[in-house]
Structure formats: structure tokens, C-alpha cells
Amino acid sequence: MIPGLAERLADVDARITDACRAAGRQRAEITRIVVTKFHPAQLIRDLVTLGVTDVGENRHQEASAKFAELADLASLRWHFIGQLQSNKARQVARYATVVHSIDRPALANAFGDAPVLDCFVQVNLTDDPGRGGAAPSELDALAECVAAAPGLNLLGVMAVAPLEVDPRRAFAEVRQHAERVRAVVPSATALSMGMSHDFEDAILEGATHLRIGSAITGERVLRG
Ligand SMILES: *Cc1c(COP(=O)(O)O)cnc(C)c1O
């Protein structure tokens, strides 16, 4: 077991519980995804021992290698949260339970029909297209495209709070964008937002899926 891992996980979970209480929300509404990118497969094994059910990865090569190494962990759910090339979509669908980063029609159209994959459309809150995510003005059309894709089930909207703004305001903005998506797909009520440094603000603004890495795993060791 990696030193300090159990303590950091317990600490983050206590903070999630406190933030739910402050927001008047139920803890059960929230899925806590531990982002394990750049960490070895053994860390995921340790996390599963500690009761973790959902992990997040942002690069296909790394994720598929870990998935193969951890094939015995049959009930673990894998969330793909990174930018994705269309020609990798079908490969990601083999191991991912949820893809959080659908950001363009070509990617939505690149998944096969089966198995049906849960997904989020990602909105970019910055002016930098390199950050990933669709521009807010493109979001409704993207949601329509996902709704029409037979292999995708739209859960909601995903975003990363930009470094340069108050995260609470950024998450409030995501909520507004999500309302427009819900006008297209009424069942798409989920919000994937909140990372190590801002998950409490995200909970206050209605996050249903938290993507928390370094606050639980410690510093990323392999790279980045
Ligand atoms: C790395 C990553 C996270 C987790 O970041 P931390 O700051 O380590 O919690 C969440 N979401 C995405 C999209 C990421 O790439």
C-alpha cells in the first residue's frame, strides 16, 4: 500500500461529505472518480482495496495497458476523461464505462453501436481550443449529435474550471450551459466537474461526478 494513500482518500471523502452537507445535498448523488493518470497499475489495486469503484484516465495507451494489467478487477469502472482522437474511440469503448470528453460531432460519430457507452459532452470555458471541449455556442448541436448516435447515452456536461477564474463562478456557468443541453436531452442531468483544488465549489454548484487526482494519489510520478 502506498504510504498516505488511505489517509488522503479518507480526508477527501470527509471533505466531500462536509461539502454535501453545506450544499444540502445527499452524498449518494455524487460519484467520486479517482484520477490515476501517470500512476502505476498497483496504485489502482491499492485504491480498490480501499473501496474505490471508479477511476479516471486521460490517455488511451496508458489506460488500455492498465486495464489489461488489472483485468481481474472486473467490477472497477473506468472513466475516460482526456482528449480523444476519433480513430481511438472504438478501442476506448472496449474498457471505458463512461467517456467524459466528447467535444465534437466527428468524435461522437466514431463510436460503434454496441456496447452503448455513457458519456458527457465537454464544454470549454476558455478561449483556447487546445484545452479541449466544445465552445459553448457549439454545445447544443453537439448534444443533438450525441443523442442521434446509437452507441452513446448522454449523461450530461463535463468541464474543467479555468485556472484564471473563480471556480465557483466557472461551475455556475457550466450549470447554465447544462440547462441548454437538457433542453435537447432531458435525461442529461449529470455534471462532471470538480478536481483536487475545487471539488467543494463544484459540489455547491451541483456536480454529480468529481474527478479527483493528486489530492488522493499524491504527486503524479510517471510524468506530468
Ligand atoms: C488530471 C485531471 C483531473 C484531476 O486533476 P487533479 O488536479 O490531480 O485532481 C481531472 N480532470 C481532468 C480532465 C484531468 O485531466
Side-chain angles (χ1 to χ4, degrees):
M1 179 70 62
I2 290 166
L5 187 64
E7 291 76 9
R8 287 191 298 269
L9 180 66
D11 176 63
V12 166
D13 280 344
R15 288 168 57 194
I16 292 172
T17 302
D18 287 348
C20 284
R21 196 171 297 131
R25 300 185 57 202
Q26 300 292 323
R27 173 65 183 84
E29 295 170 26
I30 292 175
T31 302
R32 180 253 294 122
I33 299 157
V34 183
V35 177
T36 49
K37 64 188 184 197
F38 308 128
H39 285 280
Q42 181 59 43
L43 178 119
I44 298 179
R45 259 188 213 291
D46 289 350
L47 288 168
V48 168
T49 306
L50 296 170
V52 167
T53 54
D54 294 82
V55 294
E57 289 282 338
N58 72 338
R59 293 190 318 162
H60 166 60
Q61 271 204 330
E62 182 181 338
S64 62
K66 288 181 199 172
F67 177 76
E69 198 172 334
L70 300 170
D72 56 307
L73 302 177
S75 60
L76 185 61
R77 288 188 291 266
W78 295 77
H79 296 253
F80 192 86
I81 64 172
Q83 292 184 43
L84 181 58
Q85 292 172 272
S86 297
N87 63 2
K88 301 279 164 57
R90 282 169 186 261
Q91 293 171 57
V92 167
R94 292 201 195 118
Y95 57 84
T97 314
V98 187
V99 175
H100 292 239
S101 44
I102 306 287
D103 61 359
R104 57 197 190 280
L107 179 57
N109 292 330
F111 289 89
D113 294 359
V116 175
L117 199 60
D118 285 336
C119 73
F120 290 85
V121 286
Q122 181 179 353
V123 62
N124 184 351
L125 302 177
T126 75
D127 295 328
D128 175 5
R131 299 279 192 97
S137 61
E138 299 166 347
L139 206 56
D140 308 56
L142 180 59
E144 278 173 24
C145 186
V146 170
L152 293 176
N153 173 45
L154 186 61
L155 296 181
V157 175
M158 180 276 224
V160 175
L163 289 173
E164 51 285 357
V165 305
D166 169 26
R168 180 98 195 245
R169 286 185 56 182
F171 296 139
E173 189 187 331
V174 177
R175 206 138 83 130
Q176 292 182 342
H177 296 316
E179 272 168 35
R180 288 181 10 243
V181 167
R182 215 167 0 178
V184 179
V185 181
S187 60
T189 57
L191 292 172
S192 170
M193 58 190 195
M195 304 171 30
S196 289
H197 297 292
D198 54 23
F199 67 83
E200 282 135 328
D201 282 326
I203 290 169
L204 289 170
E205 291 299 334
T208 60
H209 292 66
L210 309 174
R211 309 178 313 269
I212 303 177
S214 50
I216 294 171
T217 62
E219 290 308 310
R220 292 186 259 274
V221 288
L222 298 182
R223 57 204 315 230

